[in-house]
Amino acid sequence: MKKYIILTLSLFLMYSCQTKKEDIVKKKQNTETDLNVLSYVDPNIGTAHSRWFFYTPAAVPFGMAKLGPSTNGSYGNEQGWEAVGYDERHQSIEGFAGLHEFQVGGFLFTATTGELQTTPGSLEQPDQGYRSRFDKKDEHAEPGYYSVVLKDYNIKAELTATKRVGFLKYTFPESEKAHLIFDIGNQLGESGAVKDASVWFNKDENSIEGWVITYPEYVKKYQPDGEVRMYFSAVVSKEPSAVGTFKKENTFTESTSIEGEGAGLYLEYSTKADETIELKTAFSYTSVENARLNLKEEAETLNFNQAKQQAEEVWKEELGKIRITDSSVANKTKFYTGLYHALLGRGLASDVNGAFPENDGTIGQIPLSEEGVPAYNFYNTDSVWGAFWNLTQLWTLVWPEYYNDFIQTHLAVYKNSGWTSDGLANSKFVSGVGTNFVGLVIASAYQAGIRDYDVELAFKAAYENETRYKNRNEGAGKTDLGQFINQGYISYVPGWDTNAQGSGFSVSHTLEYSFSSYTVAQFAKSLGKEKEYKELMELSDNWRNVYDKETDFVRPRLASGKFLEPFDPFAPWAGFQEGNAWQYTFYVPHQPRALVSQMGEEKFVSRLDSIFTVSEKTKFGGEEIDAFAGVKYLYNQGNQPSLHIAWLFNFTDHPWLTQKWVRRICDEFYGTEGIHGYGYGQDEDQGQLGAWYVMSSLGLFDVKGLTEAEPSFQIGSPIFDKVEIDNGYGNTITIETQNNGPSNYYVQSMEISGKPHTDRSIDLSTLKAGVDLKLILGDQPNKDLFDPWK
């Protein structure tokens, strides 16, 4: 009996210990999963030569408050697109900016000790201003948080944010002259010249408030009578011993308010060693009063640490909607950093009460529910040029509610102005490249089942964007649309202009308008609008009018109808926007099989395969640190016009070459360093290149941008061992691979929910319903895997 009891007890203890051990392992794995989602994001990847909106670690997904350090944001932005803001090669920081969007930048704050300085100084001579040197070892960035030590002042600066409120915490040394500096009225990032500004201190509330009005370069071009207004309301945790104002180098002691260009304000303190001063700053694009309301509703009871924890939890939740199992730290870092950028860009422009800036300068109001909640959020946006090959596909799959709000945003601007615009800065037209793909983006949302808006209004906006050319507003882009409709192509006119007589980018515009016409035609067909469908389908064939059958290149045509002579297919900008004929010849995404037939399948495959073979030697985009490094090459992963090309093999008798070359691009174009991140200093464009990596690494991509009546994704070669996706429809997508490896990127066989799959694509509807996709990979292509084209 004793032996039995002892044996039973031993078994119980063994089982108990084993169970506890398993529980501990599971708990550890779960904890590591939570932590690793954030630890795999490195905001400093690709920060060499990055755009103003790129580096904003202290922000939440799709937020308005986007805080980050500025190394040269005060330098100006001559043409509106140059890399300015933060560069990891720089060695000093001028301060911390609160708003980072396309053509929107404002409110530089910082802290100093010693003699007061009121201009930022330069990178070459930091001692001539309030900027400070810093060491990379003292810098830390993660989703929702940033910290750095300002070496010249021995001040630790920390940043975090809620949706509309930025938090700054400064830890000071002992000092009789410590300062908080609010540089309000000077140009910052892509914001353009300052037209007016104001800042004031309220002693009773211990608050600093103000506003700035700027004139960005793209607003100047596309809406000359427009301007961008930004407002803030901040409270500081400690009363200052003195308050003053400044304009440039001129200071005004015992002054608590100032107006005009260059306006700024400072607070002075006496601090003890390791004393902290916290600042909460709410932003608004409508009024100081709404900035105060945003502060009250989002952050009245929050301190810095609570806001940081809240931001961390939000990022965990959103990034954790896609869970990766894989042994490659580099690939997971590329993935989650790319996903981070895809969720960071194109931020809020509406207040907690639904107020938002209208295109005509008035204040709009989003309808409210009975509980006072706005029916949707209104967003700023960089150009949607190319976004249909990355961002909108990702939003459709996982964040459809955001995509719906994005459509509502463009429809609100359309209702106010009568036009849509490819890009918006506080509702002002910033068309970006002078085209307009908003119609396509609307059509794609509808076809994907994202339809919580006025569908008839949406179709009207999309249809007019493709056909309405008389008295067209330049802010709506496509000012050469009349030629496209009436002549069948756009005449080449040397130079950089686009107007009713033609364009310097005539070929690329003809191709783009053909594509967007097709997509809106499918929208019309889905709504039963047969007349509009036929009209738009005829226009979608216009790409053939710039295709030169003798050379098998698309080629500029003159008003006479003759092709341009001499013709160099490598030449960028001559008929092609941010590209050349080698790249744009493949820009027929709406009719890929027709393009293959036009060139001939053998020549098409041979040419495309050789393009990638050669382009791999320059990492698919050039190795110069330049946003336009790849425009003169055969292929350019660093810019929108090429982003679908590697997927075109799926429309040929060599689909396995898509598996090969997409994987090679993911491995070699994308990096994990400050300089080699998204190519070398390439233009990431508010998440586009990051989202492309996300979709391509999952093995899902649609050349047509999900614009068919029944959208589907082409299938590639997933990079990871296992992926679990919480889609935006309450279901789970699981993608598993076997025998995956650096050279095992060829798909040998596939199963969808246990059944063999031999199609080159998978329906969006299947993915929305939840699905298990399993792929076996190998180092040689299975040339008989896919069903042949019929």
Side-chain angles (χ1 to χ4, degrees):
M1 185 67 177
K2 286 181 181 177
K3 290 181 180 178
Y4 175 80
I5 293 171
I6 290 170
L7 179 60
T8 304
L9 182 60
S10 298
L11 290 171
F12 172 79
L13 290 172
M14 287 173 61
Y15 176 80
S16 179
C17 290
Q18 184 66 31
T19 302
K20 287 180 179 178
K21 185 178 179 182
E22 288 174 357
D23 287 344
I24 290 170
V25 170
K26 287 178 180 177
K27 187 174 181 181
K28 185 179 179 184
Q29 287 174 341
N30 290 338
T31 303
E32 286 176 349
T33 299
D34 288 342
L35 292 175
N36 284 345
V37 174
L38 298 187
S39 66
Y40 289 128
V41 177
D42 183 357
N44 285 73
I45 289 173
T47 51
H49 196 264
S50 61
R51 289 279 293 276
W52 169 247
F53 43 69
F54 182 81
Y55 191 68
T56 63
V60 296
F62 309 125
M64 177 187 293
K66 294 183 178 179
L67 280 64
S70 175
T71 60
N72 65 346
S74 66
Y75 274 46
N77 209 241
E78 183 180 357
Q79 298 179 72
W81 56 263
E82 294 93 339
V84 64
Y86 177 90
D87 192 314
E88 71 122 31
R89 297 169 296 176
H90 296 163
Q91 297 176 339
S92 65
I93 288 172
E94 59 191 4
F96 308 97
L99 295 174
H100 290 80
E101 295 287 355
F102 179 53
Q103 304 298 292
V104 179
F107 308 130
L108 187 73
F109 300 162
T110 193
T112 65
T113 59
E115 293 302 314
L116 176 68
Q117 297 193 80
T118 55
T119 59
S122 66
L123 291 163
E124 295 75 20
Q125 296 179 306
D127 294 323
Q128 293 187 354
Y130 53 64
R131 71 169 55 239
S132 172
R133 298 167 184 86
F134 74 105
D135 286 335
K136 299 299 287 185
K137 66 179 178 62
D138 296 325
E139 182 183 50
H140 177 77
E142 64 181 61
Y145 176 76
Y146 176 86
S147 68
V148 71
V149 174
L150 302 175
K151 282 180 62 178
D152 294 351
Y153 309 113
N154 193 26
I155 296 171
K156 182 178 182 180
E158 299 176 82
L159 289 63
T160 191
T162 62
K163 288 182 180 179
R164 299 173 179 87
V165 182
F167 291 72
L168 298 96
K169 181 166 76 171
Y170 300 110
T171 303
F172 286 89
E174 183 177 356
S175 176
E176 291 299 314
K177 287 188 176 181
H179 305 101
L180 296 184
I181 295 174
F182 302 82
D183 197 341
I184 307 304
N186 291 304
Q187 182 172 352
L188 195 58
E190 294 180 356
S191 67
V194 170
K195 298 176 73 173
D196 201 1
S198 180
V199 59
W200 60 89
F201 177 75
N202 186 326
K203 181 175 173 56
D204 293 336
E205 302 292 334
N206 207 37
S207 65
I208 309 95
E209 297 179 325
W211 47 264
V212 62
I213 304 172
T214 65
Y215 194 32
E217 292 301 317
Y218 278 51
V219 173
K220 186 185 298 184
K221 175 174 175 57
Y222 292 108
Q223 193 167 348
D225 59 342
E227 59 192 18
V228 168
R229 294 173 176 259
M230 296 163 272
Y231 305 84
F232 79 95
S233 177
V235 293
V236 64
S237 63
K238 182 180 179 179
E239 292 186 13
S241 57
V243 181
T245 60
F246 60 87
K247 274 191 180 181
K248 308 292 185 182
E249 300 87 356
N250 301 313
T251 58
F252 308 94
T253 59
E254 299 183 10
S255 168
T256 59
S257 66
I258 190 169
E259 293 188 2
E261 180 190 353
L265 183 143
Y266 67 87
L267 307 181
E268 188 167 289
Y269 296 91
S270 173
T271 57
K272 299 175 183 177
D274 296 325
E275 181 177 353
T276 62
I277 298 177
E278 294 189 15
L279 187 72
K280 290 191 281 193
T281 308
F283 303 104
S284 171
Y285 295 123
T286 61
S287 68
V288 170
E289 291 74 20
N290 277 334
R292 290 179 197 143
L293 181 64
N294 292 340
L295 182 62
K296 179 178 183 295
E297 294 296 320
E298 284 191 10
E300 186 174 38
T301 61
L302 287 182
N303 61 29
F304 183 91
N305 290 338
Q306 290 169 329
K308 177 179 179 292
Q309 182 178 0
Q310 184 174 294
E312 183 179 282
E313 292 301 320
V314 170
W315 276 111
K316 280 183 184 179
E317 179 180 356
E318 296 305 318
L319 294 170
K321 289 179 178 178
I322 306 180
R323 297 173 295 282
I324 301 296
T325 301
D326 199 82
S327 59
S328 172
V329 172
N331 285 344
K332 285 190 283 190
T333 299
K334 292 179 187 180
F335 181 91
Y336 281 113
T337 303
L339 182 58
Y340 160 78
H341 283 296
L343 301 182
L344 189 65
R346 300 158 200 267
L348 268 174
S350 54
D351 300 314
V352 292
N353 62 0
F356 70 94
E358 290 275 24
N359 177 267
D360 64 5
T362 61
I363 305 303
Q365 178 61 54
I366 297 168
L368 303 177
S369 69
E370 292 182 1
E371 294 77 24
V373 178
Y376 60 89
N377 290 315
F378 186 92
Y379 290 97
N380 275 308
T381 170
D382 190 359
S383 171
V384 295
W385 194 57
F388 37 81
W389 285 327
N390 35 69
L391 288 170
T392 62
Q393 297 191 33
L394 178 61
W395 298 342
T396 295
L397 205 59
V398 191
W399 287 273
E401 71 285 350
Y402 175 79
Y403 195 174
N404 196 89
D405 286 2
F406 196 78
I407 301 301
Q408 290 276 38
T409 294
H410 282 284
L411 293 182
V413 173
Y414 174 74
K415 283 190 287 187
N416 180 254
S417 69
W419 300 93
T420 62
S421 180
D422 211 48
L424 299 170
N426 291 8
S427 292
K428 297 301 184 291
F429 295 147
V430 285
S431 187
V433 291
T435 62
N436 191 329
F437 274 106
V438 171
L440 183 155
V441 170
I442 293 172
S444 176
Y446 179 85
Q447 304 290 39
I450 300 168
R451 304 172 182 176
D452 189 16
Y453 45 80
D454 184 336
V455 170
E456 284 299 324
L457 179 71
F459 178 78
K460 184 173 184 288
Y463 174 72
E464 289 184 357
N465 192 44
E466 304 307 317
T467 60
R468 184 179 167 200
Y469 61 89
K470 292 182 179 178
N471 302 314
R472 192 171 178 98
N473 187 316
E474 187 173 6
K478 300 171 75 163
T479 51
D480 50 0
L481 183 62
Q483 282 197 342
F484 175 78
I485 291 172
N486 297 317
Q487 185 174 264
Y489 70 94
I490 295 162
S491 301
Y492 173 65
V493 178
W496 295 78
D497 291 334
T498 293
N499 53 51
Q501 283 69 52
S503 174
F505 312 127
S506 58
V507 182
S508 57
H509 286 190
T510 299
L511 298 171
E512 289 170 336
Y513 303 170
S514 297
F515 179 26
S516 57
S517 293
Y518 178 89
T519 66
V520 179
Q522 308 317 301
F523 188 12
K525 186 176 183 180
S526 294
L527 293 177
K529 298 180 184 294
E530 192 65 24
K531 174 178 171 293
E532 291 86 347
Y533 168 71
K534 290 180 178 178
E535 174 190 6
L536 291 164
M537 282 301 290
E538 287 183 14
L539 294 174
S540 74
D541 248 359
N542 281 350
W543 65 271
R544 297 179 186 275
N545 297 328
V546 292
Y547 190 96
D548 176 15
K549 295 177 183 178
E550 291 187 13
T551 62
D552 281 316
F553 281 105
V554 290
R555 186 170 173 180
R557 288 182 70 175
L558 305 175
S560 64
K562 293 182 179 180
F563 282 117
L564 177 68
E565 292 282 3
F567 170 61
D568 177 5
F570 279 101
W573 309 108
F576 306 94
Q577 189 144 22
E578 301 185 20
N580 59 34
W582 277 103
Q583 297 162 14
Y584 268 104
T585 293
F586 297 100
Y587 203 112
V588 190
H590 58 298
Q591 295 177 346
R593 288 292 296 164
L595 177 63
V596 172
S597 177
Q598 178 73 69
M599 190 179 295
E601 189 139 24
E602 183 178 353
K603 183 174 184 177
F604 184 96
V605 171
S606 175
R607 179 188 284 188
L608 196 52
D609 190 37
S610 63
I611 283 173
F612 285 111
T613 301
V614 173
S615 299
E616 188 172 19
K617 297 174 183 178
T618 54
K619 288 188 166 61
F620 302 103
E623 296 176 81
E624 307 99 315
I625 300 178
D626 185 344
F628 295 121
V631 298
K632 58 184 179 295
Y633 292 121
L634 291 167
Y635 176 81
N636 182 16
Q637 177 66 23
N639 215 350
Q640 288 89 335
S642 293
L643 293 183
H644 68 298
I645 295 177
W647 289 87
L648 290 175
F649 291 109
N650 265 339
F651 297 90
T652 73
D653 55 6
H654 283 60
W656 56 88
L657 290 177
T658 280
Q659 300 159 23
K660 172 184 176 179
W661 289 118
V662 170
R663 180 73 72 95
R664 295 280 183 88
I665 292 167
C666 287
D667 288 346
E668 298 176 32
F669 176 83
Y670 292 85
T672 58
E673 302 163 1
I675 292 178
H676 180 201
Y678 299 90
Y680 290 79
Q682 296 279 11
D683 189 354
E684 208 270 350
D685 276 328
Q686 285 197 310
Q688 286 205 34
L689 293 182
W692 189 95
Y693 182 92
V694 168
M695 295 306 301
S696 293
S697 68
L698 296 176
L700 300 172
F701 186 92
D702 184 27
V703 166
K704 298 186 181 185
L706 302 178
T707 56
E708 292 285 8
E710 296 181 2
S712 61
F713 288 93
Q714 289 85 63
I715 297 173
S717 175
I719 285 178
F720 304 105
D721 293 340
K722 184 177 181 180
V723 181
E724 294 175 283
I725 305 169
D726 294 337
N727 68 22
Y729 310 91
N731 300 306
T732 301
I733 302 165
T734 302
I735 303 172
E736 290 186 77
T737 62
Q738 294 179 18
N739 199 34
N740 205 337
S743 59
N744 288 9
Y745 36 69
Y746 293 112
V747 180
Q748 306 300 300
S749 64
M750 284 188 294
E751 288 184 357
I752 291 182
S753 298
K755 296 180 180 180
H757 187 75
T758 56
D759 197 358
R760 301 158 194 248
S761 62
I762 181 170
D763 292 342
L764 173 61
S765 59
T766 301
L767 293 169
K768 288 167 72 172
V771 69
D772 291 325
L773 176 61
K774 293 183 180 180
L775 304 94
I776 296 176
L777 305 180
D779 62 359
Q780 297 296 319
N782 178 359
K783 298 182 179 181
D784 298 319
L785 170 63
F786 291 122
D787 295 331
W789 286 104
K790 295 172 182 167

